Amino acid sequence: AQSVSQHNHHVILSEAASLELGCNYSYGGTVNLFWYVQYPGQHLQLLLKYFSGDPLVKGIKGFEAEFIKSKFSFNLRKPSVQWSDTAEYFCAVSRNTGFQKLVFGTGTRLLVSP
Amino acid sequence: GAGVSQSPSNKVTEKGKDVELRCDPISGHTALYWYRQSLGQGLEFLIYFQGNSAPDKSGLPSDRFSAERTGGSVSTLTIQRTQQEDSAVYLCASSPYTGTAYEQYFGPGTRLTVT
């Protein structure tokens, strides 16, 4: 069975600090990888995704993530966070074909202080 | 264009009552998923529909939960004899199923509170 681990449950940063959120997954086959964000009072939005190809993917709002297959990791990064990045971030994995239910990590709450 | 819509946005019900939650997927999306977001369990898969195929119900937590999808579009999730542990945000997502990798687009959710 697939599983996803997010190591940081709560992160507090000051504006302009760099961000890295860890995500590791467990699955024996080919996977799709995602980071979703949920801003306060809003619904889940896709930040970025990895299907295949270049393991360094860029998403919206300056976020990027790197897929390291040997480590089963898909860490999210942003060089300089803003107050508006305050949100909950979810890493998710799915199979690569067919029935592609998302298996989510437990989420990381990011608070950026101005 | 219009995104995934869900109704109602909030639902408060008494323990033991039945509830119906509705999802309107993005037009043309043939894959539809229901998920549940709760404090104790995080985000978890409930059920999956793809076109006219039989749904995958492997995530439904009990036989009190059922869902249908009419005409390959609108879906209804029904919870019978609600319990307090059913309190959660129920999310619907749809995708343009292509047989290969695709992303899912989420609706705003229905917050269900069972008193």
Side-chain angles (χ1 to χ4, degrees), chain B residues 33-70:
Chain B
Y33 294 78
W34 283 96
Y35 295 87
R36 178 169 72 172
Q37 186 175 22
S38 58
L39 282 176
Q41 302 297 324
L43 273 156
E44 54 182 347
F45 163 77
L46 296 177
I47 188 169
Y48 162 65
F49 295 90
Q50 168 48 39
N52 295 319
S53 302
D56 186 304
K57 305 179 183 179
S58 59
L60 294 179
S62 79
D63 58 10
R64 295 185 296 104
F65 287 72
S66 63
E68 61 179 21
R69 189 177 184 192
T70 53

Side-chain angles (χ1 to χ4, degrees), chain A residues 36-53:
Chain A
Y36 281 87
V37 61
Q38 191 168 31
Y39 297 103
Q42 297 188 26
H43 60 279
L44 277 173
Q45 301 173 39
L46 183 68
L47 261 185
L48 48 78
K49 62 184 183 285
Y50 173 81
F51 290 164
S52 64

